[in-house]
Amino acid sequence: MSIDFSVNEGVATVRLNRPEALNAIDYPMRTRLQELWRHIGSTPEIRAVVVTGTGERAFSSGADLRRTPPPATSFAAQMFGGAGAEPEVGSLTVGLDFDTPVICAFNGLAYGGGLEIGLACDIRIAADTARFGLPEVTVGSMPGSGGTQRLPRLIGSANAMWMLLTGDSIDAQTALRIGLVSHVVPPEALAETANGMARRIADAAPLAVRAIKRAARDGLEMSLQAGLAHERQMWGLLRDTEDRKEGREAFVQKRPPVYRGR
């Protein structure tokens, strides 16, 4: 399988698995990723997700240009339909806007669509051997899965435009300095670090976790006042939940809480 998927005690792992091709993304991988995003988003038992790659060289080198032939129909035909039109596969990150937190663990280079998957995640950590880039401009194209929109929001316009317009790549320490990733660790510590974060998230109250992600994500598109009102609404929705009561009682009783997502 080009993508391995597993769930262990509420933590899902999505692993890109074409190491012989630097985990480059071909058509089957793209469609499988979109299926997995939809599945994860509709499965409340999954409380956290880790996305990573197989091997030490690459998280993903992006689209597999050798195995991605041009479509037989125009983009307009794909978008609007018509006789003989092929389905439009769409962005790699379609369906990745669910409320379950996602950690991207970059185990190696992340170029093009590989980096764009990470940009759509909530937490990004990297092995100190990782490199990052959006080189589409160097082959006459442009990012098509959120790169031009998410990268400036994450690292600021100046750094983003430099990377987008030149196709230059950066190393892990630079990515840490400009805020593209939050942690850089030795390769052998990457899986443990990512899984430890995911485990802490999965052990927290699931409704609270999802409400926090939604409030923070939606607030980026709002004014401060609108964001504060949105936050207050999320807080109000949590106020009378069983989990909030359990969390407060467990704190008083000095015991681990048992959250049930209700």
Side-chain angles (χ1 to χ4, degrees), residues 13 40 47 97 109 117 127 143 145 148 156 160 183 241 251-252:
T13 300
I40 293 168
R47 297 188 177 186
D97 55 350
L109 63 85
I117 291 171
S145 293
T148 65
H183 294 70
T241 61
F251 178 82
V252 172

Side-chain angles (χ1 to χ4, degrees), residues 34 58 88-89 111 113 140 159 163 170 183 189 200 215 220 254:
Q34 293 169 336
E88 167 57 25
V89 176
Y111 291 164
N159 284 320
M163 292 180 65
I170 60 174
H183 294 70
R200 291 181 64 188
L220 291 173
K254 298 182 179 181

Side-chain angles (χ1 to χ4, degrees), residues 41 57 95 102-103 106 120 123 126 133 140 169 179 190 206 208 215-216 219 236 246 248:
R57 296 178 62 195
V102 185
I103 299 167
F106 293 112
I123 300 171
S169 64
L190 183 67
E246 165 64 11
R248 294 161 76 90

Side-chain angles (χ1 to χ4, degrees), residues 227-244:
L228 290 171
H230 185 50
E231 177 188 78
R232 189 65 179 173
Q233 183 181 40
M234 294 295 102
W235 180 89
L237 291 172
L238 292 175
R239 187 190 64 181
D240 301 320
T241 61
E242 292 181 21
D243 279 355
R244 186 168 184 266

Side-chain angles (χ1 to χ4, degrees), residues 137-161:
V137 70
T138 65
V139 293
S141 188
M142 66 176 287
S145 293
T148 65
Q149 302 305 303
R150 292 191 176 101
L151 192 64
R153 286 170 166 82
L154 289 171
I155 67 173
S157 177
N159 284 320
M161 293 302 281

Side-chain angles (χ1 to χ4, degrees), residues 113-127:
L115 177 54
E116 288 178 295
I117 291 171
L119 296 178
C121 296
D122 304 299
I123 300 171
R124 286 165 296 281
I125 67 175

